[in-house]
Amino acid sequence: MDFKLRLVLILMLTSTTFAIRKDISFQETQICRTTVQGRYLITDYTGYVCDALSLDPKSHCCRVKRDQYSCQGCNLVSQCCNSYEYCVSCCLNPERTHVNQALKVKIAKPVTSGTYSSLFDYCAGRCRHNSESVVHENAYLSEFHHCFAPPSNNSFGISDTQIEVRLIGINVMVGKQGESCDSVCKSVGQSCVASKFVFINECGVMQKYMKCKGSCLASIGADQPAEVAEDAPRNLNPGACLYTRRPSMLSCDGSHQHTKRLCPCA
């Protein structure tokens, strides 16, 4: 065969191959991550809720596409829901949960704990039962015990309404001078709920229950939040309310001979 003819044939075949590759496209199947906690309902990572029978067998996504980011059965003030799946769905709404903030939240309390890698991981993790929704370690404070709000390392930046909602079911009591919160709560047949201290460790809350004659001052101590007794030594600021800047020090068994504690009981 003539050399030029062979060259033309090779070029034709090569361009044909490229044309075939260019025209063919392989569509990648989307695979959804889903919740696994519920017995009947499932939430996929796009924010849809459905039952197990409505999942697409290939993609594992909900086939019924309605009510994305549903907040059915949720209290939008406290950001708590009575259903795990709808808590996750509501949380996944980017207009309700800021992704940048969510990805900075630690998975657990220890300093060495890592942070969430995606908004879905954050919502699926936060909506599980947490210490703030439990009393006596085996009972729920409310049916709305699936919460997606950021953990309350401190109460700064939380509105008065949110604080009130988070104290639903809590009996806020003023103790006697020198009394611990364990003792205060036990006197009325209840227990001290340590996870709620962060919501009453605020001047505004203390002033609702205490006189706070000598103003409200930042302090450090396991007996806070508390009010200094009026007969206390002058250097202790008699009549003043004290809150701590170190939430890690808040405890149920703390006490001081010259203070009256403010206690969360349930």
Side-chain angles (χ1 to χ4, degrees):
M1 185 183 292
D2 184 78
F3 175 75
K4 290 184 179 180
L5 182 59
R6 272 193 276 179
L7 184 60
V8 171
L9 286 171
I10 290 171
L11 289 173
M12 287 176 65
L13 286 171
T14 305
S15 77
T16 304
T17 303
F18 282 142
I20 292 171
R21 286 181 179 177
K22 190 175 180 179
D23 292 341
I24 295 177
S25 61
F26 296 95
Q27 190 171 1
E28 205 173 310
T29 304
Q30 181 188 35
I31 303 296
C32 281
R33 296 180 62 195
T34 62
T35 57
V36 293
Q37 183 164 321
R39 187 179 298 179
Y40 306 108
L41 296 176
I42 289 173
T43 304
D44 68 27
Y45 87 111
T46 62
Y48 290 104
V49 180
C50 61
D51 58 63
L53 296 176
S54 299
L55 276 183
D56 186 290
K58 292 183 178 179
S59 68
H60 295 165
C61 299
C62 289
R63 284 183 290 194
V64 180
K65 301 293 184 182
R66 64 169 180 265
D67 297 332
Q68 187 179 26
Y69 309 133
S70 175
C71 295
Q72 180 179 316
C74 297
N75 182 318
L76 298 182
V77 177
S78 65
Q79 295 181 305
C80 294
C81 312
N82 58 14
S83 161
Y84 173 71
E85 288 73 29
Y86 282 105
C87 175
V88 175
S89 175
C90 189
C91 171
L92 284 170
N93 187 339
E95 293 182 2
R96 197 174 301 284
T97 305
H98 299 291
V99 180
N100 291 337
Q101 182 184 358
L103 298 186
K104 293 177 182 177
V105 174
K106 287 186 174 295
I107 297 173
K109 288 185 178 180
V111 180
T112 54
S113 296
T115 55
Y116 291 101
S117 59
S118 68
L119 182 58
F120 179 81
D121 287 329
Y122 169 83
C123 294
R126 287 298 298 163
C127 284
R128 293 192 181 97
H129 313 308
N130 59 75
S131 60
E132 289 182 17
S133 63
V134 178
V135 64
H136 296 208
E137 297 184 357
N138 61 2
Y140 297 118
L141 287 167
S142 162
E143 64 174 319
F144 296 91
H145 52 258
H146 299 283
C147 306
F148 59 88
S152 50
N153 295 328
N154 60 65
S155 55
F156 301 109
I158 299 177
S159 69
D160 289 343
T161 303
Q162 287 177 312
I163 290 175
E164 288 177 13
V165 170
R166 293 193 181 191
L167 289 175
I168 290 175
I170 295 295
N171 181 18
V172 180
M173 297 184 64
V174 179
K176 296 176 183 177
Q177 187 172 330
E179 194 175 20
S180 72
C181 282
D182 277 334
S183 177
V184 173
C185 297
K186 189 176 180 180
S187 68
V188 292
Q190 297 182 333
S191 298
C192 173
V193 186
S195 63
K196 297 298 178 179
F197 271 119
V198 71
F199 299 113
I200 61 175
N201 184 45
E202 284 245 347
C203 291
V205 178
M206 283 188 279
Q207 287 164 354
K208 291 181 181 179
Y209 299 93
M210 297 170 155
K211 296 176 183 178
C212 300
K213 287 183 179 178
S215 71
C216 188
L217 308 171
S219 183
I220 297 174
D223 63 310
Q224 293 149 22
E227 181 181 49
V228 182
E230 293 185 19
D231 61 355
R234 272 190 163 186
N235 65 309
L236 296 181
N237 300 297
C241 281
L242 306 176
Y243 68 93
T244 182
R245 290 188 182 277
R246 297 184 183 177
S248 60
M249 294 189 69
L250 297 169
S251 72
C252 290
D253 58 359
S255 64
H256 191 284
Q257 62 177 328
H258 293 301
T259 64
K260 298 177 183 179
R261 295 201 65 185
L262 189 64
C263 306
C265 307

